[in-house]
């Protein structure tokens, strides 16, 4: 359970720190903030990539993915990559427009 | 020791992500913060490839290019009027990815799961699936593919609880089962979660969309964090927590700006005790303005007290004014009138007038919606004022120009009890010497509460498509 405890601590601390920081984001940056956080939530791509991992990971030794797993994993990568590139790109565009 | 070093490296990457968020104070800072987080992301990806051998590279690379390319192209081309829909679909993509990863991890053979982790896997599956379906409904409404009006089915709450119960039961049944039956049960959970999300989102609409979209943002983050616990990845947990916090703050800010409880909005409380027919009066123009609507409903020469047509009186008021405050609302987005408004503002400014914009926190369909629209129309960032910053100035303002806003300037919120908007903080445009209203019609806004401002003798109503009415005003300012 030590591992779960560590993970929950990371969740709690990051939530608290983010809450404090984001409370100070001005209203006019709320839309870019949302697309920015959507880009960040694309970290799920790390989980999707690990589906294709051959080596022992933290989950123990994994077999090579089956066809169904590979298809679902590929779909997950596609969705996450959409957010990753789309989120960072559109946030960059918006914040640049604001700079004028 | 190896494990500890890995953890420290992970924490360092998480710190860079947080450093990105910390810069979200000013537009220039936000741009740097965005790049900082993108850098952290690149490091996280590089680390993953360094630590693991990833097979099936052709699938991985193809998926990456297709998803990433599509995301990039859409983001590069999309107009700011469609940003709310894009953000909704991004929330959905985040939820969908979390749902898929959970599904594979929960069903694949050979995985030896800690029971606690497996529980998080199921929660991630359900929250992710519900976020995906809820966001598709929300995005469909915002893109104009679905009607924006909230839909409540008979027995809506019963259905929601039934799906929730189904999800829980199936999760208990499939827990620990790693064969075909387990996979089928898990797939059943995912499907039930989709229904759950769609049912949840479908009964929230109109001016409550900012709360829904913020809440879905929270859920997409939480889903990622839950999956993170399931697969034991600290970066997923931390990033999910960041997104969850951000969405939560936005949800609360939006609800507070309407003087309502986030919980009751999300539970589909309809705002209205008023009759359903009044609800029908909400402007249902599709998201992209269409000319037919504006043509049909342009009375423009409705007889008012003065003999002069309202356009002339409005032009005169603007010509005489030394200070003008423009109040944009969702109607401006629907009419795509932001560039015309910006052009009018520029002309008035050239004539030596003080021109400012007052933006209500819930104006539009998502947090910050009006700000990005006006920024795209090249309105100077320094001219946009938030409610608290400008509300005291209306009393000394000559002309308040309302473009496509109703509820956020409705004085009934302050002085009439027991309406859906009672107690909602509003922009006090009625304190200005003259109020010009460029709205599609003089019907009540989304709340269904009639706006007494429209009957005030100091108010000049220019009804019709805001693009046309604003241009007409502009034409008179030579």
């Amino acid at each position: 359970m030590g591992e779960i405890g560590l993970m929950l601590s990371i969740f709690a601390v990051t939530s608290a720190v983010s809450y404090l920081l984001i409370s100070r984001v001005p209203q006019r940056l709320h839309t870019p903030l949302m697309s920015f956080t959507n880009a960040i939530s694309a970290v799920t791509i790390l989980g999707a990539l690990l589906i294709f991992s051959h080596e022992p990971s933290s989950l123990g030794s994994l077999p090579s993915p089956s066809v169904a797993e590979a298809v679902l994993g590929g779909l997950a990568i596609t969705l996450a990559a959409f957010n990753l590139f789309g989120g960072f790109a559109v946030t960059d565009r918006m914040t640049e427009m604001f700079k004028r | 020791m190896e494990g500890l070093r890995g953890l420290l490296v992970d924490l360092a990457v998480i710190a860079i992500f947080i450093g990105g968020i910390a810069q979200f104070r000013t537009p220039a800072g936000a741009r740097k913060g965005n790049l900082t987080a993108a850098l952290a992301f690149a490091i996280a990806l590089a680390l993953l490839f360094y630590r693991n051998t990833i097979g099936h590279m052709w699938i991985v690379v193809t998926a990456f290019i297709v998803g990433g390319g599509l995301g990039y192209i859409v983001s590069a081309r999309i107009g700011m009027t469609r940003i709310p829909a894009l953000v909704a679909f991004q929330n959905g993509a985040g939820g969908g990815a979390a749902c898929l990863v959970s599904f594979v991890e929960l069903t694949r053979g050979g995985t030896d799961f800690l029971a606690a982790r497996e529980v998080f896997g199921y929660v991630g599956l359900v929250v992710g699936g519900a976020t995906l379906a809820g966001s598709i409904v929300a995005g469909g409404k915002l893109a104009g593919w679905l009607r924006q009006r909230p839909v409540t089915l008979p027995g809506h709450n019963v259905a929601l609880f039934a799906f929730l119960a189904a999800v829980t039961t199936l999760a208990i049944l499939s827990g620990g089962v790693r064969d075909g039956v387990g996979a089928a049960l898990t797939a059943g959970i995912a499907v039930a979660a989709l229904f759950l999300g769609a049912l949840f989102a479908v009964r929230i609409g109109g001016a409550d969309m900012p709360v829904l979209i913020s809440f879905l943002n929270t859920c997409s983050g939480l889903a990622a964090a839950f999956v993170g616990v399931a697969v034991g990845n600290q970066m997923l947990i931390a990033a999910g927590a960041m997104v969850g916090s951000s969405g939560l703050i936005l949800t609360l800010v939006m609800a507070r700006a309407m003087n309502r409880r986030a919980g009751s909005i999300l539970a589909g409380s309809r705002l209205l005790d008023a009759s359903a027919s009044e609800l029908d009066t909400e402007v249902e123009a599709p998201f992209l303005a269409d000319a037919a609507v504006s043509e049909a409903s342009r009375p423009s020469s409705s007889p008012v007290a003065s003999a002069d047509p309202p356009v002339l009186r409005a032009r005169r008021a603007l010509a005489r004014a030394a200070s003008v405050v423009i109040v944009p609302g969702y109607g401006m987005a629907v009419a795509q009138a932001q560039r015309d408004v910006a052009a009018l503002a520029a002309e008035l400014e050239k004539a030596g007038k003080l021109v400012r914009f007052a933006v209500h926190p819930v104006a539009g369909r998502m947090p910050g919606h009006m700000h990005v629209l006006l920024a795209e129309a090249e309105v100077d960032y320094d001219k946009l004022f938030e409610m608290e910053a400008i509300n005291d100035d209306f009393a000394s303002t000559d002309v308040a120009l309302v473009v496509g806003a109703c509820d956020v300037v409705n004085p009934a919120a302050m002085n009439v009890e027991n309406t859906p908007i009672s107690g909602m903080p509003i922009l006090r445009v009625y304190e200005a010497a003259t109020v010009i209203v460029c709205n599609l019609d003089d019907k009540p806004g989304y709340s269904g509460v009639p706006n007494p401002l429209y009957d005030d003798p100091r108010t000049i109503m220019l009804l019709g498509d805001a693009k046309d009415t604003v241009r007409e005003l502009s034409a008179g300012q030579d």
Side-chain angles (χ1 to χ4, degrees):
Chain A
M1 283 314 272
E3 205 184 7
I4 292 276
L6 172 68
M7 293 194 275
L8 294 184
S9 314
I10 288 182
F11 180 81
V13 172
T14 317
S15 295
V17 173
S18 314
Y19 195 94
L20 290 176
L21 290 174
I22 295 167
S23 308
R24 294 195 229 159
V25 174
Q27 186 193 321
R28 61 188 76 183
L29 288 176
H30 278 171
T31 298
L33 175 69
M34 265 189 150
S35 59
F36 171 70
T37 55
N38 273 328
I40 291 181
S41 74
V43 280
T44 317
I45 204 168
L46 302 179
L49 287 167
L50 286 174
I51 291 173
F52 296 92
S53 167
H54 286 314
E55 272 184 338
S57 74
S58 50
L59 291 173
S61 184
L62 295 173
S64 190
S66 69
V67 175
E69 286 161 5
V71 169
L72 295 177
L75 201 53
I77 293 176
T78 311
L79 288 175
F82 177 84
N83 269 9
L84 169 57
F85 285 90
F88 283 127
V90 85
T91 308
D92 189 61
R93 244 185 88 199
M94 282 192 268
T95 48
E96 207 232 325
M97 284 181 340
F98 273 129
K99 270 193 348 191
R100 275 191 298 255
Chain B
M1 256 6 259
E2 193 59 35
L4 181 65
R5 215 178 62 191
L7 177 65
L8 289 178
V9 172
D10 282 358
L11 290 178
V13 177
I14 293 167
I16 304 178
F17 271 116
I18 291 178
I21 292 183
Q23 297 175 72
F24 253 74
R25 294 286 155 75
T26 60
R31 196 163 185 223
K32 280 192 211 122
N34 188 49
L35 290 175
T36 308
L39 174 75
F41 214 118
I43 297 173
L45 279 173
L47 268 177
L48 182 122
F49 279 97
Y50 172 73
R51 288 171 176 170
N52 304 274
T53 311
I54 305 295
H56 291 73
M57 276 311 277
W58 63 273
I59 299 184
V60 171
V61 171
T62 310
F64 200 77
I65 291 175
V66 169
L70 208 63
Y72 185 81
I73 293 168
V74 169
S75 300
R77 297 197 173 169
I78 196 162
M80 291 299 124
T81 35
R82 314 207 76 167
I83 285 287
L86 174 67
V87 169
F89 288 125
Q90 285 178 341
N91 287 336
C99 180
L100 288 166
V101 174
S102 295
F103 181 82
V104 173
E105 294 297 343
L106 286 166
T107 55
R108 72 193 310 188
T111 313
D112 205 12
F113 252 147
L114 265 173
R117 280 219 202 156
E118 184 161 357
V119 172
F120 279 98
Y122 282 114
V123 179
L125 177 76
V126 174
V127 175
T131 306
L132 171 64
S135 298
I136 290 174
V137 171
K141 287 184 179 194
L142 291 167
W145 303 334
L146 299 171
R147 288 173 70 79
Q148 284 208 7
R149 204 165 35 156
V151 175
T152 307
L153 306 171
H156 208 115
N157 275 327
V158 178
L160 277 174
F161 280 110
F163 276 110
L164 207 56
V167 158
T168 317
T169 315
L170 288 171
I172 293 168
L173 287 177
S174 73
V177 183
R178 282 280 175 279
D179 54 13
V181 178
L185 288 171
T186 310
I189 297 173
V191 172
L194 292 175
F195 276 104
L196 194 63
L199 273 178
F200 176 81
V202 80
R203 68 175 176 185
I204 303 166
D208 292 338
M209 291 308 285
V211 176
L212 176 62
I213 193 174
S214 305
F215 182 71
L216 289 167
N217 190 226
T218 311
C219 291
S220 72
L222 290 180
F226 292 137
V227 176
V229 177
V231 304
N233 186 305
Q234 317 295 357
M235 281 187 246
L236 261 172
I237 297 169
M242 291 172 206
V243 180
S245 289
S246 170
L248 178 66
I249 289 172
L250 293 175
T251 308
L252 297 176
V253 167
M254 292 298 110
R256 205 179 307 137
M258 293 194 273
N259 192 39
R260 294 175 65 212
R261 298 170 69 94
S264 73
I265 296 171
L266 294 170
S269 101
R270 269 293 197 93
L271 259 188
L272 303 181
D273 298 323
S275 69
S277 66
E278 259 179 305
L279 185 67
D280 286 335
T281 61
E282 193 210 350
V283 178
E284 288 288 357
F287 196 70
L288 293 176
D290 74 58
V293 174
S294 58
E295 285 306 317
S297 54
R298 198 191 325 167
S300 79
S301 58
S302 55
V304 202
S306 161
D308 290 335
V311 182
L312 286 184
R313 290 192 297 135
R315 280 182 191 158
R316 265 206 306 272
L318 279 177
R320 278 198 302 261
S323 58
V324 178
V325 175
I326 302 176
V327 180
Y330 178 60
M332 182 184 81
V334 173
Q336 303 232 46
Q338 63 271 22
R339 288 187 187 280
D340 306 284
V341 171
L344 175 63
E347 275 175 44
L348 293 172
E349 220 160 41
K350 220 162 61 188
K353 303 170 199 304
L354 172 66
V355 181
R356 290 174 295 174
F357 288 82
V359 185
H360 193 279
V362 293
R365 286 295 180 263
M366 76 175 293
H369 190 182
M370 293 298 123
H371 297 91
V372 288
L373 280 181
L374 292 170
E376 187 189 36
E378 300 181 29
V379 171
D380 200 341
Y381 168 74
D382 302 332
K383 296 190 187 106
L384 306 185
F385 289 80
E386 295 174 14
M387 184 163 61
E388 299 76 30
I390 203 163
N391 239 351
D392 291 336
D393 292 3
F394 278 110
S396 56
T397 296
D398 297 320
V399 173
L401 174 61
V402 177
V403 185
C406 181
D407 289 334
V408 298
V409 296
N410 190 342
M414 304 179 79
N415 49 31
V416 181
E417 296 287 320
N418 298 321
T419 72
I421 55 170
S422 295
M424 173 170 125
I426 60 156
L427 287 163
R428 300 198 297 266
V429 295
Y430 61 86
E431 289 181 353
T434 304
V435 182
I436 301 173
V437 177
C438 293
N439 282 2
L440 187 62
D441 53 39
D442 56 2
K443 289 174 185 160
Y446 176 72
S447 72
V449 181
N451 195 338
L453 187 68
Y454 296 170
D455 301 324
D456 192 293
R458 289 169 308 159
T459 303
I460 304 168
M461 301 292 288
L462 297 180
L463 300 182
D465 186 67
K467 214 169 185 152
D468 301 332
T469 49
V470 169
R471 272 187 196 154
E472 280 170 27
L473 281 179
S474 203
Q477 304 297 320
D478 305 318

